[in-house]
Amino acid sequence: MDHDLAAELHRRAEEDQAARRLAATTHDGRDMCRIDADNTAWLQQVIAEHGWPGVELVGGKGADEAWLLAQHADLAPAFQRQALELLEVAVAAGDAPPRHLAYLTDRVLVAAGEPQVYGTQYTDDGDGSNLCLQPVADPGRLDERRAAMGLEPAAEYDQRMRGH
């Protein structure tokens, strides 16, 4: 395991989450966008050097944090698609949790204007109001697909997203 890389992932994930908390409070996302762009450039370099930072390279927490940075790389959709391809391989090899693949798959699809597969992505009015699930393909089989990725039923996730 690369402990230095895991520590840097942790530092960057903490910064990512702090920026999101601040943006939610101030309704100013400039710091969040700056941090996301910096984290994306850094993660691209890590992937170029090491491949996908999965459990074997950075441990379980580090793998979670690598996925988080890729999930928030919305300003670089081509990179997000590349990360998704690498994550698919990592999940198939048991080096990353399937839930990461579900969330990033949906994020990439929604960004491309396509219906999501796992029902993980919501939209709101920018101030947190009017939370709405993004369109889902084949909604009748949504819970079946979610269960296959280790996710809770859609109704439970929806309640959690709404803070109930």
Side-chain angles (χ1 to χ4, degrees):
M1 185 168 132
D2 186 327
H3 294 283
D4 291 340
L5 185 56
E8 182 63 12
L9 273 165
H10 182 65
R11 186 192 70 73
R12 287 177 176 275
E14 291 279 316
E15 190 177 46
D16 169 288
Q17 293 300 287
R20 279 170 168 68
R21 286 190 297 272
L22 181 65
T25 302
T26 64
H27 304 293
D28 180 352
R30 287 176 294 189
D31 275 350
M32 185 176 71
C33 289
R34 179 185 54 76
I35 287 167
D36 286 352
D38 183 56
N39 284 343
T40 297
W42 178 82
L43 187 58
Q44 285 175 304
Q45 186 62 41
V46 167
I47 286 171
E49 291 176 20
H50 302 279
W52 183 257
V55 175
E56 188 174 318
L57 181 64
V58 294
K61 185 173 185 178
D64 287 347
E65 292 164 341
W67 160 78
L68 181 74
L69 299 187
Q71 187 78 1
H72 292 159
D74 297 323
L75 299 173
F79 168 69
Q80 253 182 347
R81 286 190 301 276
Q82 176 197 7
L84 179 61
E85 291 171 10
L86 295 171
L87 186 56
E88 286 173 352
V89 173
V91 168
D95 199 31
R99 71 180 182 280
H100 291 175
L101 185 57
Y103 278 87
L104 192 56
T105 296
D106 281 355
R107 190 78 161 225
V108 167
L109 286 170
V110 167
E114 301 288 330
Q116 59 183 325
V117 176
Y118 302 103
T120 64
Q121 302 298 296
Y122 283 70
T123 188
D124 62 31
D125 286 347
D127 61 0
S129 65
N130 294 324
L131 194 64
C132 183
L133 181 65
Q134 294 278 22
V136 175
D138 190 11
R141 299 188 61 203
L142 176 59
D143 280 339
E144 182 182 324
R145 292 190 304 272
R146 289 179 62 85
M149 301 304 266
L151 301 174
E152 75 266 46
E156 288 178 27
Y157 181 65
D158 188 71
Q159 290 295 307
R160 193 161 50 88
M161 287 295 294
R162 296 174 190 283
H164 300 300

